[in-house]
Amino acid sequence: MSAYLCPPAVIHGEHAVETGQILAEVRSRHPQAPWLPRIEGIAASTGITSRGWMLPLAAATAPSSGSGLRTPGAGAAREALARGGFTDREVDRAIAALEAVPAPQTVQERTAPAWAAVQEYGERAARRALHSAGLETTDVDCLITSHSTTPALPGLDLSLFNRLPLRGDVLLLPATQWACIAGTRSLALAADLVAADPDRVVLAVISEALSTTYQPADDTLESLIVRLLFADTAVAVVVTGRPRTESVLRLDAAWHHTLPGTVDLHRLDTRADGTHFVMDRRGPRAVQETVAAMWNWLRARHQDDGRPWHPDLLLAHPGGTRVLEYMEQTMPDGWPAGLLAHSRDSYTTGNRGGAAVLDILRRAHDAGQKTGSRTVLYAAAPGLTATALEGEWL
């Protein structure tokens, strides 16, 4: 397995949402929440003071364009009140009062503008990645896409096929449900594709509007954490089977690992008011199991090297800083400190889900890397499933 990556393109959400804005909105909406006195400390523990969204905070917190009488509707309510013996005047007053009640946004109201943004951001990232690779849209042989937070059919693959546009014989591979693992798994799939045909050019695009999981009506502690964590990002990268002048990283091996019985730990739950991200506190412990399995993979892979091996960079998206700390604590003896510096840097502006690993890779690229620097990329996603890759900078 040898696949060559050109510099990834990263488009951050252009609407800065400050942590202070989120806390103010939460205080005004949930003044009786039992965890309210602790929100400053909870927010500080994330280390995130600002995150970029594709849409402004007001788009997530605005009420529905409909009224509190969206169901069953004014007509049915009026008939029910009349049957109950209310006078016409009383019915009119009751209907007016009910119509004045703000209703939460519907799935359509939350998803439609975000889906439009996901497509536009994805196109920009794709064009920038192709430019960085010195390629045209007509050079693309395969397109891999992921966008788990804005379900749509047709999806991002066909949107980009028409927007760029791509050739009619391009292989389209949408992977909407990869979520947080989209970065590493798309690279692993791309590597397999170019191994089968080294002349193939693969474009991977991940565009995530994680801000759609911001649900103002939710009053749980977990929902507060979700509000604080997520950022919106589109990323894209070109993978080829032969080195190009623009290539920056060679991938040599891939590893996959899935834990049985863990599908309930982290998940997206679609309800009447949109998409909710549900977290289980057992999740980080399960992610740690995949980290331990990855250490074993790397140990076995280099057991016959004849000298101690360690990566020079570890570009990891394990879902949060708690697991980053666990990774640092459990690294094999002799590994240098600071391997996760670029991962930590990325988290200071939010959890980017499937776009995270390529954002971290771009940060490492921009910092400058020596030829031959050994690199491991890792990500875990709801399922609970993980993918890692090993390679070297060119």
Side-chain angles (χ1 to χ4, degrees):
M1 170 187 175
S2 286
Y4 299 88
L5 275 61
C6 294
V10 181
I11 310 292
H12 299 291
E14 295 175 352
H15 296 274
V17 178
E18 307 298 326
T19 293
Q21 293 176 271
I22 293 174
L23 297 184
E25 195 275 332
V26 169
R27 286 192 184 96
S28 66
R29 196 176 295 267
H30 302 291
Q32 304 303 319
W35 38 260
L36 197 65
R38 296 189 286 136
I39 62 172
E40 292 286 352
I42 294 170
S45 70
T46 68
I48 304 167
T49 58
S50 181
R51 72 284 293 143
W53 284 5
M54 294 180 182
L55 300 171
L57 177 61
T61 59
S64 169
S65 58
S67 72
L69 272 178
R70 185 167 58 219
T71 303
R78 186 178 293 277
E79 292 176 6
L81 289 169
R83 286 196 302 270
F86 291 92
T87 65
D88 289 346
R89 183 177 180 181
E90 290 171 333
V91 169
D92 290 341
R93 291 175 60 188
I95 294 298
L98 290 170
E99 287 182 330
V101 175
Q105 294 182 39
T106 63
V107 174
Q108 181 181 15
E109 288 174 319
R110 284 302 303 272
T111 303
W115 170 230
V118 160
Q119 295 174 81
E120 190 259 330
Y121 272 69
E123 179 185 354
R124 289 165 56 195
R127 291 187 180 280
R128 188 175 296 182
L130 288 169
H131 179 75
S132 295
L135 295 170
E136 303 294 335
T137 59
T138 52
D139 295 316
V140 176
D141 300 303
C142 177
L143 173 66
I144 303 171
T145 59
S146 185
H147 57 102
S148 61
T149 46
T150 47
L153 183 66
L156 185 60
D157 58 327
L158 283 159
S159 172
L160 294 179
F161 171 84
N162 288 288
R163 282 170 169 262
L164 291 173
L166 301 178
R167 301 192 321 262
D169 62 345
V170 165
L171 174 61
L172 302 178
L173 292 173
T176 300
Q177 293 173 314
W178 271 347
C180 295
I181 210 170
T184 51
R185 195 153 290 178
S186 64
L187 294 179
L189 176 56
D192 286 341
L193 290 167
V194 299
D197 180 358
D199 293 322
R200 183 177 277 157
V201 173
V202 180
L203 173 65
V205 183
I206 303 154
S207 188
E208 290 287 19
L210 294 169
S211 58
T212 57
T213 63
Y214 190 106
Q215 295 296 344
D218 285 358
D219 62 358
T220 65
L221 179 59
E222 288 74 19
S223 72
L224 170 66
I225 296 172
V226 169
R227 285 174 169 91
L228 294 168
L229 287 184
F230 290 136
D232 297 346
T233 314
V235 295
V237 65
V238 170
V239 182
T240 59
R242 305 186 194 278
R244 297 178 55 81
T245 303
E246 299 84 0
S247 300
V248 296
L249 182 70
R250 186 191 70 244
L251 299 179
D252 298 320
W255 165 89
H256 308 283
H257 191 76
T258 301
L259 299 177
T262 56
V263 294
D264 61 330
L265 297 186
H266 301 302
R267 65 186 188 277
L268 287 180
D269 188 9
T270 301
R271 305 172 191 169
D273 58 350
T275 302
H276 298 245
F277 186 74
V278 180
M279 298 190 300
D280 189 296
R281 295 183 182 182
R282 297 172 295 160
R285 181 67 64 182
V287 176
Q288 290 169 10
E289 289 188 43
T290 70
V291 171
M294 179 180 65
W295 296 153
N296 290 334
W297 169 65
L298 290 170
R299 186 179 297 112
R301 186 167 153 71
H302 293 282
Q303 62 184 352
D304 298 324
D305 283 5
R307 59 185 176 86
W309 180 93
H310 66 75
D312 300 299
L313 290 169
L314 179 52
L315 312 178
H317 175 61
T321 55
R322 178 176 169 187
V323 185
L324 286 177
E325 292 169 359
Y326 172 83
M327 295 180 79
E328 290 173 332
Q329 294 164 4
T330 61
M331 283 179 188
D333 293 341
W335 284 25
L339 294 180
L340 289 165
H342 297 298
S343 301
R344 289 192 172 278
D345 181 49
S346 179
Y347 271 97
T348 62
T349 49
N351 180 326
R352 292 174 169 80
V357 162
L358 290 178
D359 172 66
I360 297 166
L361 179 62
R362 181 70 207 199
R363 291 168 190 264
H365 170 269
D366 291 347
Q369 301 301 325
K370 294 180 181 179
T371 298
S373 292
R374 298 161 296 192
T375 300
V376 173
L377 299 91
Y378 161 89
L384 194 286
T385 185
T387 289
L389 303 111
E390 185 188 340
E392 290 188 1
W393 289 85
L394 301 174

